[in-house]
């Protein structure tokens, strides 16, 4: 971005925290999946499936299938080149396709970047299926998917939960470990599936693990298509998509850092053109390259049902929001400001009130729980403030989260209270930390004022956490900062500012439990994964409690 360098919003958030105190296919390994992709490559001039297969937005009777075909060598993502090509698809009840239950053919072209999306219906509920695509004699890698339960049959549902996968910050080992699990119904991706920066823009050049494409910051439709295409060459990401259906929403980096309805912090109109054109390009590429159904007015807010056990309300917190205000500004309480937009907030409130599901899960890309950050001792705060452009007194709120839009949050939480809505669980990414929170009606009088809901926040797959941002050893800044955040925020039951990884959310009639897993080293392709902690919300409590073991 041209002009004066601004501290990146997540750097500010992380530093503010420091200011607190210093199935056959389901079991495919990464190597096997990569070999399957290689097997779909043919001689120059013939079609190939180089970007894997994927499925998403499962229903009781259907699922969305996705792939991308390369019909000719020049037809690389974003090129606008290559002929139209007919692509066949098949869905089977077994991995060897001896029992095909649905098939068809579609034509794709450069107009959609040679991506293919098929919304298959007529399937059986809560059933695993296998699918593949063909172009001429070339067969794609096989994917496995799973439909959801019918309205009266769900005994339990289990999600892998991820967010914030920056290509240049490391390898996607978290995806590989989730791909290896055979007990998941779907993957919930809470945003920042891609990042928009130029090479060395985030993290700094000396900390880049691998370079993405294109090398410059992505602005045009061709740029966004190229970046999505690069991501989908990652073998761990291909394995994840081949193993499980994905349910995804976007956050800001699918567009640009700190996106709002009329622009973004990481967008300079004078050199990067019109924001509306850039946002439209980002959305077009997203819907081309992701196994996501287009929802209301070309956004991602929508609702999926998992029997009578859970409704999953998925939010778009970028397309309609007001511009972020300065940290610490009283404008965060302005009733004219919104993070959801009126129509989406009314839609969410109506869906929560009318739901007959035991659990009301809400996928929100940014944290709804309020968080106050205290001041750091001067000997620590001054160098951090100078490095990150912070006020020496620290930050009171992160205005990019719901903390910057308090009236929407107040209206939503009062709605839960007034309607007596129980068992609302917010599922969140964005902040590159793991949290287990109770969501207070009134933070100032908590716990006396009570808890409206609970919130489980997963850390990043690779994007920098606190100690990454400060370039210090793990635990150097995070441990005292975690303790101080908990001391200042009684509703925060746990926070881990130091790990990368993923979550596994297990939902039953009795409880919703999040198991937190961490990877050993995001800079290593063969990083291991280990269980860290587990927290759950028991039916009817709106409270978070620690559990001494994961569900599996």
């Amino acid at each position: 971005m041209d002009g004066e360098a601004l501290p990146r919003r997540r750097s500010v958030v992380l530093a503010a925290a420091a200011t607190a105190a210093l199935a056959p296919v389901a079991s495919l390994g990464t190597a096997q999946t990569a070999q399957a992709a290689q097997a779909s490559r043919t001689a120059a001039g013939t079609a190939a499936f180089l970007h894997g297969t994927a499925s998403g937005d499962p229903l009781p009777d259907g699922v969305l299938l996705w792939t991308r075909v390369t019909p000719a060598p020049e037809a690389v993502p974003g090129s606008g080149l290559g002929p139209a090509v007919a692509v066949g698809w098949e869905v089977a009840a077994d991995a060897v396709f001896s029992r095909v239950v649905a098939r068809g053919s579609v034509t794709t072209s450069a107009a959609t970047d040679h991506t293919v999306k098929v919304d298959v219906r007529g399937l059986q509920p809560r059933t695993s299926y296998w699918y593949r695509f063909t172009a001429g004699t070339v067969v794609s890698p096989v994917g496995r998917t799973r439909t959801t339960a019918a309205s009266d049959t769900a005994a339990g549902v289990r999600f892998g939960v991820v967010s914030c996968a920056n290509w240049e910050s490391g390898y996607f080992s978290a995806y590989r470990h989730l791909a290896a699990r055979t007990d998941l119904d779907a993957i919930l991706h809470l945003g920042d599936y891609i990042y928009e920066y130029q090479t060395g823009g985030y993290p700094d050049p000396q900390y880049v693990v691998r370079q993405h494409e294109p090398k410059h910051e992505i602005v045009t439709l061709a740029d966004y298509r190229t970046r999505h295409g690069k991501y989908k060459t990652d073998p761990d990401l291909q394995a994840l998509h081949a193993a499980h259906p994905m349910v995804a929403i976007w956050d800001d980096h699918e567009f640009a850092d700190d996106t709002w309805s009329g622009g973004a912090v990481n967008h300079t109109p004078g050199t990067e053109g019109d924001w509306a054109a850039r946002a439209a390009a980002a959305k077009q590429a997203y819907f081309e390259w992701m196994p996501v159904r287009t929802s209301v007015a070309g956004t991602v807010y929508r609702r999926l049902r998992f029997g009578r056990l859970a409704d999953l309300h998925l939010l778009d917190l970028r397309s309609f929001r007001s511009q972020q205000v300065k940290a610490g500004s009283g404008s965060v309480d302005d009733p004219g400001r919104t993070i959801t937009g009126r129509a989406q907030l009314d839609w969410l409130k109506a869906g929560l009130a009318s739901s007959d599901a035991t659990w009301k899960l809400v996928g929100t890309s940014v944290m709804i729980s309020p968080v106050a950050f205290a001041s750091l001792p001067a000997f620590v705060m001054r160098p951090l403030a100078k490095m990150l452009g912070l006020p020496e007194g620290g930050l009171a709120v992160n205005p990019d989260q719901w903390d910057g839009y308090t009236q929407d949050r107040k209206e939503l939480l009062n709605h839960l209270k007034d309607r007596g809505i129980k068992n609302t669980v917010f599922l969140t990414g964005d902040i590159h930390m793991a949290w287990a929170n109770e969501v207070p009606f009134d933070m100032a009088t908590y716990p006396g004022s009570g808890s409206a809901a609970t919130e489980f926040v997963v850390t990043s797959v690779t994007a920098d956490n606190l100690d990454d941002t400060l370039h210090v050893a793990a635990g150097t800044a995070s441990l005292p900062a975690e303790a101080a955040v908990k001391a200042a925020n009684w509703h925060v039951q746990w926070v881990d500012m130091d790990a990368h990884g993923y979550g596994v959310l297990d939902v039953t009639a009795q409880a919703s439990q999040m198991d937190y897993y961490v990877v050993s080293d995001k800079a290593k392709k063969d990083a291991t994964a280990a269980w860290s902690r587990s927290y759950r919300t028991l039916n009817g409590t709106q409270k978070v409690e620690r559990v001494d073991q994961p569900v599996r």
Side-chain angles (χ1 to χ4, degrees):
M1 188 171 70
D2 291 345
E4 182 180 357
L6 296 174
R8 296 187 190 89
R9 187 249 308 173
R10 284 175 184 77
S11 296
V12 172
V13 174
L14 293 166
T19 68
L22 228 76
V25 174
S27 61
L28 270 179
T30 299
Q32 292 171 284
T33 304
Q35 290 168 6
Q38 285 287 344
S40 74
R41 300 172 187 258
T42 60
T46 60
F49 294 94
L50 308 180
H51 298 90
T53 58
S55 67
D57 282 3
L59 302 171
D61 68 339
V63 69
L64 189 72
L65 305 182
W66 177 95
T67 193
R68 200 265 181 183
V69 63
T70 303
E74 68 273 13
V76 297
S79 67
L81 302 176
V85 59
V87 177
W89 58 269
E90 291 182 310
V91 178
D94 62 321
V96 296
F97 289 81
S98 65
R99 292 179 291 151
V100 173
V101 299
R103 58 165 48 100
S105 179
V106 297
T107 298
T108 186
S109 69
T112 56
D113 210 20
H114 289 102
T115 58
V116 176
K117 295 174 80 169
V118 181
D119 200 347
V120 181
R121 300 299 174 96
L123 304 179
Q124 295 299 308
R126 206 168 176 79
T127 301
S128 293
Y129 290 96
W130 288 259
Y131 61 95
R132 63 188 178 189
F133 299 87
T134 56
T137 60
V138 181
V139 182
S140 75
V142 174
R144 172 195 171 274
T145 193
R146 185 167 176 81
T147 54
T148 63
S151 60
D152 59 349
T153 59
V157 63
R158 192 169 293 171
F159 301 96
V161 189
V162 289
S163 73
C164 304
N166 185 13
W167 179 279
E168 295 208 333
S169 291
Y171 295 103
F172 297 161
S173 299
Y175 292 162
R176 172 166 46 86
H177 291 289
L178 283 170
R181 294 186 65 128
T182 59
D183 60 332
L184 302 180
D185 292 283
I187 300 297
L188 178 59
H189 203 298
L190 294 166
D192 294 343
Y193 182 98
I194 65 168
Y195 278 70
E196 85 281 11
Y197 297 111
Q198 73 274 19
T199 289
Y202 174 63
D204 293 333
Q206 63 269 40
Y207 302 105
V208 168
V209 176
R210 53 180 179 165
Q211 291 189 341
H212 51 214
E213 293 292 340
K215 298 294 189 298
H216 57 266
E217 183 179 328
I218 53 176
V219 176
T220 67
L221 177 59
D223 292 342
Y224 283 99
R225 285 170 163 174
T226 302
R227 186 66 56 87
H228 273 283
K230 181 66 172 180
Y231 266 66
K232 280 195 168 64
T233 64
D234 182 88
D236 294 330
L237 180 54
Q238 287 194 8
L240 181 71
H241 278 303
H244 310 294
M246 179 175 283
V247 177
I249 56 176
W250 56 48
D251 193 25
D252 53 340
H253 289 293
E254 286 87 351
F255 302 86
D257 187 36
D258 278 6
T259 295
W260 58 285
S261 60
V265 167
N266 194 24
H267 179 76
T268 307
T271 58
E272 295 177 328
D274 177 65
W275 170 254
R278 182 176 182 177
K283 288 184 178 182
Q284 180 176 335
Y286 184 90
F287 284 119
E288 289 170 345
W289 279 87
M290 294 293 290
V292 170
R293 291 189 182 87
T294 307
S295 183
V296 180
T299 82
V300 291
Y301 80 78
R302 62 202 190 280
R303 188 176 294 116
L304 296 175
R305 187 170 175 85
F306 295 82
R308 293 188 63 183
L309 180 65
D311 283 338
L312 176 58
H313 311 263
L314 299 156
L315 302 186
D316 176 357
L317 299 184
R318 295 295 168 181
S319 295
F320 313 105
R321 70 157 70 198
S322 306
Q323 186 173 9
Q324 299 87 345
V325 298
K326 184 178 179 180
S329 167
S331 299
V332 298
D333 298 325
D334 184 342
R337 291 172 43 73
T338 182
I339 191 171
T340 60
R342 183 75 259 165
Q344 183 176 197
L345 186 57
D346 287 344
W347 167 87
L348 176 60
K349 289 167 59 181
L352 292 169
S354 63
S355 174
D356 63 351
T358 302
W359 295 96
K360 292 80 177 172
L361 308 177
V362 182
T364 171
S365 57
V366 296
M367 197 156 73
I368 192 169
S369 298
V371 180
F373 296 107
S375 293
L376 196 84
F379 77 94
V380 173
M381 186 60 221
R382 286 187 186 122
L384 283 178
K386 182 177 180 180
M387 179 178 69
L388 298 172
L390 293 172
E392 290 194 6
L395 301 181
V397 295
N398 171 11
D400 192 63
Q401 298 181 170
W402 288 75
D403 268 337
Y405 305 85
T406 62
Q407 287 301 304
D408 276 1
R409 179 171 62 195
K410 182 178 180 180
E411 181 177 337
L412 179 56
L413 299 187
N414 283 342
H415 178 72
L416 298 180
K417 184 177 183 179
D418 294 344
R419 295 298 185 96
I421 299 170
K422 307 293 185 184
N423 295 341
T424 302
V425 179
F426 293 92
L427 305 170
T428 309
D430 174 71
I431 199 170
H432 309 175
M433 311 174 195
W435 303 65
N437 302 327
E438 292 162 4
V439 184
F441 288 111
D442 184 352
M443 180 179 173
T445 58
Y446 189 81
S449 56
S451 176
T454 56
E455 180 174 34
F456 297 124
V457 183
V458 295
T459 188
S460 63
V461 172
T462 60
D464 285 2
N465 58 32
L466 178 57
D467 288 326
D468 294 332
T469 299
L470 300 179
H471 308 304
V472 295
T476 301
S478 59
L479 296 182
E482 291 162 6
V485 165
K486 287 184 63 179
N489 299 271
W490 290 3
H491 57 286
V492 175
Q493 304 305 305
W494 176 67
V495 57
D496 179 357
M497 300 180 179
D498 209 34
H500 300 282
Y502 57 93
V504 173
L505 179 72
D506 183 73
V507 183
T508 67
Q510 294 74 38
S512 289
Q513 177 171 324
M514 182 70 84
D515 299 329
Y516 295 88
Y517 291 82
V518 301
V519 295
S520 57
D521 188 340
K522 66 174 183 174
K524 294 184 178 179
K525 290 182 178 181
D526 60 350
T528 58
W531 171 70
S532 174
R533 285 206 182 192
S534 293
Y535 288 86
R536 71 182 179 187
T537 298
L538 294 174
N539 188 335
T541 66
Q542 284 66 250
K543 293 285 187 179
V544 168
E545 66 178 27
R546 188 174 177 180
V547 184
D548 61 6
Q549 61 183 4
V551 292
R552 190 190 98 169

